[in-house]
Amino acid sequence: MAEFTSDVTVEDVVVRDTNVSDAVDEPVRAMILDMLADAERSVADLEAALEQRGYDRTRNTIRHHVNELRDAGLVEVARLEERGGGTTKYYRANTIVLSYAVPDDRREDVAAMAAEIAPDISEIVANLEDEHRDTIESIADEMAPCEHCRSQKYETYLLLTILRRGFVEGIVRERNGDGNEASGGSEGLD
């Protein structure tokens, strides 16, 4: 019997937040999220924009999709507008979902840049772990449903989440000219 062995190294970590994944697995929700990342819109605005893209559904269906995105924490009510005895809600995305692939012939370039910054990232992560070890371990313990699951990669997930959110705070908001602090939730609003 022939045996095959190979040295396999981890090249990437894919973070899949189950709340986000479940909410954007529906293609129209991904379109809505993309539209709300560009500008605040009402359900009626979304309905018209989706219709232009060939998605013809009722306003209630669009509202349902917006509510699913809101419940997942991906969109918030940006403002309320009183008109004609009613209130119109305008929504805005607070999360950007990126789903792309690096071209095969450019993967080496990406790997080289990653290798170049790896020492800086290692230092940042080491500092995070030193300064916030108790908090990180406490959160990871809350995430693990049982002792057996504790061996899973909850701390890695948390560190990547912190790095992603730091990237948003330091880069994305600056590039978008959005110096606003993270806004609170919009519980109780449809």
Side-chain angles (χ1 to χ4, degrees), residues 6-52:
S6 174
D7 290 331
V8 178
T9 59
V10 175
E11 293 182 19
D12 203 353
V13 175
V14 176
V15 177
R16 183 174 187 262
D17 181 315
T18 54
N19 292 330
V20 173
S21 296
D22 291 346
V24 297
D25 276 350
E26 176 71 37
V28 70
R29 290 186 197 149
M31 282 193 287
I32 291 170
L33 192 59
D34 190 48
M35 285 185 237
L36 293 175
D38 293 336
E40 60 185 45
R41 297 174 189 244
S42 68
V43 171
D45 295 337
L46 289 167
E47 179 184 25
L50 287 167
E51 203 169 284
Q52 289 178 337

Side-chain angles (χ1 to χ4, degrees), residues 135-154:
T135 303
I136 291 169
E137 288 177 359
S138 173
I139 295 169
D141 286 341
E142 289 177 37
M143 293 171 67
C146 67
E147 178 131 353
H148 169 73
C149 295
R150 185 65 178 95
S151 65
Q152 293 189 19
K153 309 290 189 240
Y154 292 102

Side-chain angles (χ1 to χ4, degrees), residues 70-81:
R70 188 203 61 215
D71 292 348
L74 303 175
V75 302
E76 298 177 19
V77 175
R79 68 184 166 97
L80 300 172
E81 196 173 283

Side-chain angles (χ1 to χ4, degrees), residues 62-178:
I62 305 301
R63 183 174 290 110
H64 164 76
H65 290 306
V66 170
N67 287 339
E68 290 292 319
L69 292 168
R70 188 203 61 215
D71 292 348
L74 303 175
V75 302
E76 298 177 19
V77 175
R79 68 184 166 97
L80 300 172
E81 196 173 283
E82 301 277 336
R83 253 194 272 174
T87 304
T88 301
K89 295 175 187 174
Y90 288 82
Y91 297 89
R92 180 77 189 215
N94 60 24
T95 302
I96 299 169
V97 176
L98 304 174
S99 181
Y100 306 113
V102 174
D104 288 340
D105 62 337
R106 301 312 301 257
R107 290 177 188 257
E108 286 183 26
D109 295 332
V110 171
M113 289 184 282
E116 185 178 319
I117 67 165
D120 297 329
I121 299 297
S122 292
E123 185 176 333
I124 290 169
V125 169
N127 289 339
L128 263 173
E129 290 176 321
D130 287 345
E131 294 176 26
H132 303 282
R133 180 174 317 284
D134 292 342
T135 303
I136 291 169
E137 288 177 359
S138 173
I139 295 169
D141 286 341
E142 289 177 37
M143 293 171 67
C146 67
E147 178 131 353
H148 169 73
C149 295
R150 185 65 178 95
S151 65
Q152 293 189 19
K153 309 290 189 240
Y154 292 102
E155 289 180 16
T156 300
Y157 171 83
L158 286 171
L159 290 168
L160 282 169
T161 299
I162 293 164
L163 291 171
R164 277 192 352 263
R165 291 188 179 176
F167 182 84
V168 169
E169 291 284 332
I171 304 297
V172 175
R173 287 185 180 175
E174 183 179 304
R175 288 182 180 170
N176 290 342
D178 181 12

